[in-house]
Amino acid sequence: MSPESPAPSARPVGSTVESERHASWLELFFDLVAVAGIAQLAHLLREDPTRGDLALYCLLYLAFWTAWMCFTTYGNVAADKARTRTILLGMLGLAVMAAAVPGIESDHGRAFAIAFVAVRFLASRIWQGRGEVVVDWPTAQLSAGVVPWLVSIWAEAPTRYWLWALGLGIDLGLTFVLSRNRLLTRAQEEWRERYEGRERYEGRERPSHTPPVAARLDARHLDERLGLFTLIVIGESVAVAIEAASQTEWDAPLGALAVGAFVLLLALWSLAVRRACGVPLLAFGALAPRFALPLHCVATAALAALAASLGGAIEDAGEPLPADVEWLLCGSVAVFLTVGLLGGALSGRGVRWILAVGVPVAAAPIVLAAVSHHVHPAALVWALAAVARWPWLYDKRRARTKPAGPH
């Protein structure tokens, strides 16, 4: 480093801050647009979904969630300095992606890829000139994973889908492979090279006089955004169930199924939002963002898939479910509760809780799917609701039997 170069900031790498700031109306609007796109994805899983449908759903969901998270990270760090126009342009890109979903296997797939590339490049350009490195979620700043998406614009299905999967795999790989210190060190070395050769920057943007520092995430604000996103997805699930019920003849089987679906969603809401940060049973601040965020992605993807299966079940409330719908219904609950098992274990609930609650509730939906052939849909949904309610009942029973402390 030259004698004129300032010393790097002493700010801890990847440190977080906590404030009383809440999600703005613009951020809530952005979340609603993202969930609208996810609601479109749920239609891919209606009417006897195949394994290919499920794979495509997972791929597109990860793309939507990644794009949403890039702008969520920006809003979290920039706070009231976030540019409204930039966020609105991101919303427009997500809206185009959502509109392209129904015809994704046709030319709409090309439009989806173009919109995703535009959103990601816009998200990465946000950080240019800010002098910050997003060490807790590098995907928000890096654009290497966009290259396969760019190539896919000229490809046809299924090659296009493999390129999308490659791009998203690169994003996730870089997130977990690149350490916080490595990201910050590399950015500071690049700044140093530019700063020491700043005399060459005639007529161009000169490097900042200060080295880049680690962007500090607002932990409480991030937890709130994750919780709100999960809440909106659950609300969308309720809306799907209501829409399906409105188009079906009302009778006793439908009533039993509809109430059971509502109780099931209520139980999942309690696990993910009531006392957690949007990830089921994960305590606030129990896990670093780069590990908590993928859990949030998986949990909300399971919720959206559950919405599709509940809608299909309600449409045929008087008949046994097709095997594919039955497995989708039980499998989505199993995935959500498996995330809850990880969330509870990482929050320090102990081995006893893992054995008595975490493992049983994660395994029970799969067992139900295996033995519930020709069972009425309402009975299956109520059984899943009972499984999802077990963590709450266990905690309540433990609280009653726990001996009172000294007064």
Side-chain angles (χ1 to χ4, degrees), residues 198-207:
R198 61 191 181 282
E199 63 276 359
R200 299 194 303 267
Y201 285 81
E202 296 181 4
R204 291 183 293 165
E205 181 182 357
R206 291 175 176 268

Side-chain angles (χ1 to χ4, degrees), residues 402-407:
K402 185 177 181 180
H407 295 286

Side-chain angles (χ1 to χ4, degrees), residues 7-350:
S9 171
R11 176 186 298 178
V13 175
S15 62
T16 59
V17 295
E18 289 192 1
S19 69
E20 297 300 326
R21 182 168 65 93
H22 296 285
S24 67
W25 292 113
L26 181 61
E27 289 174 321
L28 291 174
F29 191 14
F30 190 90
D31 293 348
L32 288 171
V33 172
V35 174
I38 291 169
Q40 290 283 356
L41 295 180
H43 291 288
L44 295 175
L45 301 179
R46 300 285 286 271
E47 300 179 0
D48 301 333
T50 64
R51 293 181 181 179
D53 294 332
L54 182 59
L56 182 59
Y57 165 80
C58 293
L59 181 64
L60 298 182
Y61 187 94
L62 182 55
F64 264 104
W65 185 91
T66 299
W68 170 78
M69 194 62 227
C70 286
F71 282 89
T72 298
T73 304
Y74 167 63
N76 180 277
V77 175
D80 56 354
K81 296 181 180 179
R83 298 176 180 175
T84 300
R85 182 178 61 181
T86 299
I87 295 178
L88 291 176
L89 287 173
M91 290 168 57
L92 176 61
L94 284 176
V96 173
M97 291 169 62
V101 169
I104 197 70
E105 296 180 1
S106 64
D107 287 341
H108 287 190
R110 183 169 288 105
F112 187 94
I114 293 173
F116 180 82
V117 169
V119 168
R120 288 295 305 278
F121 273 124
L122 177 63
S124 64
R125 285 184 60 84
I126 290 172
W127 301 97
Q128 293 182 6
R130 287 187 58 89
E132 293 175 302
V133 182
V134 191
V135 295
D136 288 301
W137 191 248
T139 303
Q141 198 167 23
L142 302 178
S143 56
V146 180
V147 175
W149 283 81
L150 190 60
V151 175
S152 75
I153 295 174
W154 294 274
E156 301 292 336
T159 304
R160 175 187 297 156
Y161 304 146
W162 286 108
L163 289 169
W164 292 356
L166 174 61
L168 294 171
I170 291 173
D171 286 331
L172 291 177
L174 292 176
T175 296
F176 293 110
V177 169
L178 297 177
S179 67
R180 298 173 175 181
N181 288 324
R182 182 179 175 184
L183 283 167
L184 185 57
T185 300
R186 186 176 68 175
Q188 290 178 342
E189 289 176 349
E190 292 176 353
W191 168 86
R192 188 179 301 117
E193 293 176 359
R194 295 179 63 197
Y195 189 87
E196 292 177 348
R198 61 191 181 282
E199 63 276 359
R200 299 194 303 267
Y201 285 81
E202 296 181 4
R204 291 183 293 165
E205 181 182 357
R206 291 175 176 268
S208 169
H209 289 284
T210 57
V213 296
R216 303 181 69 184
L217 293 179
D218 186 329
R220 285 193 179 184
H221 179 263
L222 181 60
D223 287 341
E224 184 182 69
R225 290 294 301 278
L226 296 180
L228 286 171
F229 188 90
T230 303
L231 183 63
I232 296 172
V233 173
I234 295 175
E236 183 62 33
S237 302
V238 175
V240 169
I242 292 174
E243 180 184 3
S246 69
Q247 300 174 1
T248 306
E249 182 180 356
W250 287 17
D251 52 19
L254 174 64
L257 177 56
V259 175
F262 180 78
V263 173
L264 172 59
L265 292 172
L266 180 63
L268 300 182
W269 162 80
S270 180
L271 296 177
V273 180
R274 195 176 181 185
R275 296 186 181 89
C277 57
V279 178
L281 296 173
L282 182 65
F284 295 96
L287 199 60
R290 69 166 59 198
F291 299 107
L293 293 178
L295 292 180
H296 180 267
C297 177
V298 174
T300 51
L303 284 175
L306 174 63
S309 60
L310 285 176
I314 290 175
E315 288 176 355
D316 300 313
E319 302 178 1
L321 294 177
D324 291 338
V325 177
E326 194 173 75
W327 275 102
L328 178 63
L329 175 64
C330 295
S332 57
V333 175
V335 170
F336 183 90
L337 294 177
T338 299
V339 175
L341 164 61
L342 295 174
L346 293 169
S347 299
R349 290 178 175 260

